[in-house]
Amino acid sequence: MPDVSADLKDSATRQREPTKLECGLFGALSATIVLGVLFWLGIQFSFLKLIIQIS
């Protein structure tokens, strides 16, 4: 009779490596988030500069 609990434990401890596609998608997502935050900060500073110039 095969040892099912040992097989399940072995498969639970083994982690699979991410594929190149997953790494690329994660990199693209990270870059998009960083660029979005930088763009948002740029807009905020532009509004702040405009408000300071007006007052």
Side-chain angles (χ1 to χ4, degrees), residues 20-53:
K20 286 184 179 181
L21 177 62
E22 291 170 336
C23 289
L25 288 175
F26 181 70
L29 178 64
S30 301
T32 303
I33 291 171
V34 168
L35 289 175
V37 168
L38 291 175
F39 183 73
W40 179 78
L41 283 174
I43 290 175
Q44 296 301 316
F45 285 130
S46 296
F47 282 136
L48 182 63
K49 185 177 177 183
L50 182 64
I51 290 171
I52 291 173
Q53 286 178 353

